[in-house]
């Protein structure tokens, strides 16, 4: 078992191992000994695969268990679903001493975390991510949010979980497409600050190293979060590919998945950096080759005008400026503040290389 310790506004551990679903009950008991009831939030797909195992583990540890099941997909990360979940928690008389378990991918984790943060002004919750993307990204660091009609993740709070249990066995039931969405985030970490990770992805068998690769990404995010938990500076680096990626998601009506949209966003932002001689062409070629190697779509069918208009709702906009993340060399990125009106040109330049 690999354990990563996080010391943010609250301290907690992240575990990476097989068969962790069986230990959910023990984990809740250890962390929240006064809890009598546990609320599991999951989606229809994950419920069919793992709900019984998690509920059984909790029953065997002596907990009363209630289950809330949502429809899979971004449409469930909505204000309507959020309020429905809060009402359900109240009807089930969940108290502050009880615990909520987020069992699923990023949508489940984000929705559950935001509900946990705001129900009774804060109720403990545990992240049990079941996708690669959620393991290396959304379950770690305490960002919780729902989407508004105007854009992605526009309502949310910072709220750390009590622990994160990454049962790598759950990755075996992912479709190849869903698994590769997580690989896009792993590639992001290599582009941000780990050239050795990029080389490992290029040259070594993934299956033999996956647990350690997951741990590497989690440690990178942990270090950044500990330095800048509330996203005022360095943590914004983790948004590499996300400003344009979120615009792509919004423009597609969320038919393009988050992982694929981030991959496209990284391509555009790296391409623009190459066109402006901020980074060498090698940055773009390595990124493109890795995305192709893991069968991650990177073709963009939207115009610069469409993506610019969608990006105007990005959280990183401040007045007439917006902070974008651009590579400056292989394995290193930087924050760059530009005028909002210049973003259209950045997107256009990036699209010129994304053919």
């Amino acid at each position: 078992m690999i354990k990563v310790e996080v010391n943010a506004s609250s301290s907690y551990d992240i575990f990476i191992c097989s068969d962790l679903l069986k230990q959910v009950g023990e984990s809740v008991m250890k962390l929240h000994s006064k809890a009598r009831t546990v609320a599991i939030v999951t989606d229809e797909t994950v419920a069919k695969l793992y709900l019984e195992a998690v509920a059984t583990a909790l029953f065997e540890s002596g907990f009363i268990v209630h289950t809330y099941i949502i429809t899979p997909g971004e449409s469930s990360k909505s204000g309507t679903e959020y309020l429905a979940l809060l009402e359900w928690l109240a009807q089930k008389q969940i108290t502050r001493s009880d615990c909520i378990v987020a069992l699923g991918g990023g949508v489940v984790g984000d929705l559950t975390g935001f509900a946990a943060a705001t129900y009774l002004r804060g109720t403990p919750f545990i992240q049990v991510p079941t996708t690669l993307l959620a393991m290396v990204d959304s379950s770690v660091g305490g960002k919780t949010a729902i989407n508004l009609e105007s854009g992605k993740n526009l309502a949310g709070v910072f709220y750390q979980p009590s622990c994160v249990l990454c049962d790598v066995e759950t990755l075996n039931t992912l479709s190849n497409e869903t698994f590769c969405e997580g690989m896009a985030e792993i590639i992001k970490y290599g582009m941000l600050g780990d050239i050795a990770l990029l080389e490992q992805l290029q040259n070594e068998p993934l299956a033999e190293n996956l647990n350690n690769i997951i741990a590497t990404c989690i440690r990178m995010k942990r270090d950044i979060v500990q330095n800048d938990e509330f996203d005022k500076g360095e943590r914004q680096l983790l948004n590499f590919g996300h400003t344009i990626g979120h615009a792509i998601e919004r423009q597609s009506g969320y038919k393009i998945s988050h992982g694929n949209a981030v991959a496209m966003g990284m391509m555009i932002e790296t391409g623009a950096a190459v066109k402006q001689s901020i980074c060498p062409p090698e940055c773009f070629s390595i990124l493109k080759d890795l995305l192709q190697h893991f069968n991650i779509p990177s073709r963009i069918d939207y115009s610069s005008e469409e993506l610019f208009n969608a990006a105007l709702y990005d959280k990183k906009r401040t007045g007439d400026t917006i902070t974008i993340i651009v590579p400056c060399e292989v394995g290193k990125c930087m924050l760059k503040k530009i005028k909002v009106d210049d973003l259209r040109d950045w997107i256009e330049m990036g699209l010129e290389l994304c053919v």
Side-chain angles (χ1 to χ4, degrees):
M1 180 183 294
I2 301 173
K3 182 173 82 170
V4 179
E5 298 178 2
V6 180
N7 295 300
S9 54
S10 62
S11 297
Y12 58 97
D13 295 325
I14 301 166
F15 298 96
I16 306 157
C17 190
S18 299
D19 294 326
L20 284 177
L21 296 186
K22 299 176 182 178
Q23 299 179 36
V24 173
E26 296 174 17
S27 297
V28 175
M29 182 63 70
K30 180 180 179 180
L31 293 165
H32 305 293
S33 59
K34 294 182 179 180
R36 294 294 174 265
T37 304
V38 176
I40 303 173
V41 182
T42 188
D43 67 29
E44 294 166 355
T45 302
V46 177
K48 293 175 184 177
L49 295 167
Y50 303 119
L51 178 57
E52 182 178 357
V54 174
T56 298
L58 290 163
F59 277 127
E60 290 177 349
S61 293
F63 295 107
I64 299 167
V65 179
H66 298 297
T67 303
Y68 187 89
I69 300 175
I70 65 173
T71 302
E74 284 286 331
S75 62
S76 289
K77 240 176 77 170
S78 67
T80 299
E81 192 69 71
Y82 163 69
L83 290 175
L85 175 53
L86 291 183
E87 188 63 45
W88 178 84
L89 290 168
Q91 290 173 357
K92 296 301 180 183
Q93 299 181 20
I94 304 300
T95 71
R96 286 184 187 172
S97 62
D98 292 322
C99 184
I100 304 171
V101 172
L103 174 65
V107 168
V108 168
D110 281 0
L111 172 68
T112 305
F114 188 36
T118 51
Y119 177 70
L120 301 179
R121 296 190 177 95
T123 305
F125 87 111
I126 288 176
Q127 289 273 19
V128 186
T130 59
T131 67
L132 181 58
L133 193 154
M135 288 182 187
V136 300
D137 186 53
S138 59
S139 69
V140 180
K143 277 189 176 182
T144 73
I146 57 172
N147 303 331
L148 303 182
E149 288 187 12
S150 295
K152 189 176 172 76
N153 296 335
L154 293 185
V157 297
F158 294 94
Y159 191 66
Q160 301 292 345
S162 301
C163 77
V164 182
L165 303 175
C166 300
D167 188 334
V168 294
E169 290 296 317
T170 63
L171 302 180
N172 294 331
T173 56
L174 297 179
S175 67
N176 184 64
E177 180 181 359
T178 302
F179 181 86
C180 288
E181 288 179 38
M183 289 307 304
E185 286 284 348
I186 288 174
I187 292 167
K188 179 197 78 174
Y189 283 107
M191 293 291 292
L192 281 180
D194 195 334
I195 192 170
L197 176 58
L198 293 175
E199 293 172 349
Q200 185 176 22
L201 295 174
Q202 289 173 309
N203 301 315
E204 298 180 18
L206 180 63
E208 297 177 11
N209 300 290
L210 186 56
N211 286 20
N212 287 327
I213 287 172
I214 292 171
T216 294
C217 295
I218 288 174
R219 289 188 187 104
M220 285 183 66
K221 184 164 188 178
R222 181 270 314 272
D223 292 346
I224 290 173
V225 168
Q226 288 181 167
N227 290 334
D228 178 28
E229 181 174 358
F230 299 108
D231 211 15
K232 301 296 185 182
E234 181 184 3
R235 186 169 181 171
Q236 294 180 50
L237 287 168
L238 294 168
N239 289 316
F240 176 44
H242 285 61
T243 294
I244 309 302
H246 286 169
I248 291 169
E249 285 184 84
R250 185 174 187 271
Q251 193 63 32
S252 73
Y254 297 100
K255 293 178 181 178
I256 295 177
S257 67
H258 176 70
N260 290 342
V262 167
M264 297 172 190
M266 289 192 294
M267 288 279 286
I268 292 173
E269 292 173 18
T270 303
V274 170
K275 294 284 284 187
Q276 296 201 56
S277 300
I278 295 172
C279 70
E282 182 185 12
C283 287
F284 186 84
S285 60
I286 289 174
L287 173 60
K288 183 177 181 179
D289 289 347
L290 278 172
L291 293 176
Q292 290 178 342
H293 178 70
F294 290 104
N295 299 313
I296 302 167
S298 56
R299 175 185 172 88
I300 299 102
D301 294 324
Y302 300 112
S303 69
S304 57
E305 188 67 24
E306 289 173 318
L307 296 182
F308 170 74
N309 288 331
L312 293 178
Y313 297 93
D314 191 85
K315 301 186 301 298
K316 294 173 290 302
R317 179 179 175 183
T318 305
D320 64 349
T321 66
I322 189 167
T323 300
I324 59 174
I325 297 86
V326 294
C328 49
E329 59 186 71
V330 177
K332 185 177 181 181
C333 289
M334 66 178 184
L335 302 175
K336 187 172 181 63
K337 184 175 290 188
I338 64 172
K339 293 287 187 181
V340 170
D341 290 343
D342 293 336
L343 181 60
R344 182 190 289 103
D345 293 334
W346 276 80
I347 296 172
E348 181 65 35
M349 285 185 285
L351 287 172
E352 289 176 9
L353 288 183
C354 297
V355 293

